[in-house]
Amino acid sequence: MSNGTQESVIGADVEIIGTIKSNGNIRLDGKLEGELQCGGNAILGKNAQVKGNVTATSVSIEGKISGNILAKDKIEMKATATVNGDIKARRLSVEDGVTFVGRSEVNPNAQPMPAPSAPQPGTPQR
Amino acid sequence: MAGKKTKVVDGFSVVRGLARAQQQGLVPPPGSRRPAEDTSARPPPLMQPKDSPHIVKTVEPTKRTIRCFQCGYEFKLAGTTPAIYCAKCREKIDLGDYVIEGPWHEEINTGGSVIIRPTGRLEDVRIRAGNVILEGAMDDRSAIECNQWLELAGATSPDPRQLTMRNLRIAAGCTMKFKYKLQVHHVELLGTLDADVESTGLVSIRAGGHLRGTVRGAHLQVEEGGGLSARVFIWPQGNPLEAGT
């Protein structure tokens, strides 16, 4: 997912309580209790656990998330993903095996969605 | 073998026949090269056939589930045959395939497939079949009962109460609205489905497909380009709320 911008990585042994804001790409393998606002692509690894809303250009989920997901472009749920919350995106890809309880609003033929609110510079923040 | 009339040619008969043909010199022995022939006039073959007359690959015929219309007994059948007798009640089951291209009034009970072409129209008739592809129309008094797959591919959308199916496929460009809860095993969407879907198998939304309403089940798959505007309850390990009560 490297598209020229730097990727911020939060390791599996990290727990964060608060809001993470990033303009670039971010990979989360640890725990987050709070919001994740990302101007680029967000990857939630297999060990990732998020309790809060996620906003990004595109979101790839392999771990667990309890919260709403808003993606400007695409949401990708891998087979190991567990999502409890509503999702909204322009494109969606779901692999067999996911656990997903929530409301989905994905219509590839609809007009492009407004961009998610751009976070303040400085990555990541608490 | 030569004096006998055989209706079924099995693999063993083929091998024995080849061996006999080799003995008579009709077929070159294994490993021998064929005489050179002018192949410039014809296009090159896709696969390089081996010179050996041995069977290098065999394909097991696909098995399909047949359901007796009389007693409801289900059994597997490999290969093709025009009809078969139920293993339980000995009722004869037609396994023929039908293509309907005009007005149709006769009842059909078949374990095979029925295709209703865009020009076809069911009029006051019941169709019971293994698989049905509905491209045409059906009036209010007709019904379709499908043991396996029902594919809706037409421009007209029939009343869902006239349709009984195990698996449902909505073809590309087709839009179907189910007012009542839709209970099926597998659902495959290449078109649009507006329904409250309860699935025991896989709900698959292909590129270009769209599901609106509610979806409950164990397995969901969405291809990129597929749409999902629905309340979703997907638990591969079963509903934890139901398990707790």
Side-chain angles (χ1 to χ4, degrees):
Chain A
M1 206 178 256
S2 61
N3 54 2
T5 56
Q6 279 197 332
E7 183 180 77
S8 307
V9 179
I10 297 167
D13 57 342
V14 178
E15 284 188 38
I16 296 173
I17 299 173
T19 302
I20 298 175
K21 292 181 180 176
S22 166
N23 276 331
N25 303 333
I26 193 161
R27 180 182 177 89
L28 176 69
D29 288 310
K31 292 181 182 176
L32 169 65
E33 208 166 301
E35 282 196 28
L36 170 60
Q37 294 177 9
C38 177
N41 306 320
I43 301 171
L44 310 182
K46 270 187 186 174
N47 298 316
Q49 290 184 28
V50 178
K51 284 184 182 173
N53 300 336
V54 174
T55 308
T57 301
S58 75
V59 184
S60 173
I61 310 152
E62 290 178 75
K64 295 178 181 176
I65 172 164
S66 296
N68 302 333
I69 305 168
L70 172 64
K72 184 184 169 189
D73 183 34
K74 185 182 174 186
I75 295 174
E76 201 176 348
M77 293 189 203
K78 303 287 186 187
T80 53
T82 300
V83 177
N84 283 293
D86 300 345
I87 63 167
K88 191 170 183 180
R90 200 168 63 83
R91 294 187 295 156
L92 174 68
S93 153
V94 180
E95 286 183 5
D96 184 15
V98 301
T99 302
F100 175 26
V101 180
R103 187 179 286 274
S104 166
E105 273 184 59
V106 177
N107 190 356
N109 302 320
Q111 294 294 316
M113 292 170 55
S117 57
Q120 298 298 316
T123 59
Q125 286 188 349
R126 256 197 77 178
Chain B
M1 182 74 192
K4 278 186 183 177
K5 278 189 177 178
T6 51
K7 288 183 179 176
V8 179
V9 179
D10 57 357
F12 182 64
S13 301
V14 171
V15 173
R16 200 161 53 172
L18 278 170
R20 183 168 296 208
Q22 277 172 13
Q23 284 175 0
Q24 293 171 358
L26 299 173
V27 177
S32 66
R33 292 196 173 274
R34 289 177 182 166
E37 54 182 323
D38 183 22
T39 56
S40 58
R42 62 182 187 199
L46 294 173
M47 293 170 62
Q48 292 296 324
K50 296 194 175 178
D51 290 336
S52 167
H54 288 299
I55 296 169
V56 291
K57 189 178 179 184
T58 58
V59 178
E60 191 181 352
T62 53
K63 286 185 179 177
R64 54 179 170 162
T65 305
I66 306 295
R67 189 165 198 262
C68 177
F69 297 110
Q70 196 70 28
C71 65
Y73 181 68
E74 280 190 0
F75 55 98
K76 300 260 185 194
L77 175 71
T80 55
T81 176
I84 196 168
Y85 289 92
C86 172
K88 193 174 179 186
C89 70
R90 309 305 299 166
E91 180 77 15
K92 190 177 181 181
I93 304 169
D94 179 16
L95 296 178
D97 297 333
Y98 295 81
V99 178
I100 297 171
E101 296 182 317
W104 189 265
H105 311 276
E106 285 179 45
E107 184 170 322
I108 296 176
N109 292 315
T110 178
S113 301
V114 175
I115 302 173
I116 301 140
R117 295 282 185 215
T119 52
R121 179 178 167 79
L122 303 181
E123 294 177 349
D124 194 12
V125 69
R126 185 174 67 168
I127 303 289
R128 296 200 292 181
N131 300 299
V132 176
I133 299 174
L134 179 62
E135 297 171 347
M138 57 192 291
D139 67 7
D140 300 340
R141 291 163 300 175
S142 297
I144 292 176
E145 292 176 26
C146 207
N147 286 340
Q148 293 297 320
W149 282 93
L150 170 64
E151 181 174 330
L152 299 173
T156 58
S157 67
D159 188 339
R161 285 174 292 183
Q162 298 171 262
L163 309 172
T164 310
M165 80 296 284
R166 178 171 159 80
N167 306 313
L168 175 67
R169 181 183 293 121
I170 307 283
C174 183
T175 301
M176 192 71 197
K177 189 170 184 176
F178 279 73
K179 196 176 173 185
Y180 305 95
K181 184 183 280 186
L182 174 65
Q183 289 180 312
V184 284
H185 187 54
H186 296 312
V187 184
E188 189 178 4
L189 300 181
L190 290 95
T192 303
L193 175 65
D194 192 336
D196 183 354
V197 180
E198 203 169 285
S199 163
T200 52
L202 174 67
V203 178
S204 177
I205 303 172
R206 304 274 180 198
H210 199 121
L211 175 61
R212 295 194 193 99
T214 307
V215 54
R216 289 182 180 83
H219 301 278
L220 172 70
Q221 197 177 43
V222 182
E223 267 185 16
E224 197 175 320
L228 180 63
S229 310
R231 291 167 64 202
V232 183
F233 304 89
I234 297 294
W235 286 285
Q237 278 83 37
N239 187 344
L241 299 175
E242 282 180 0
T245 55

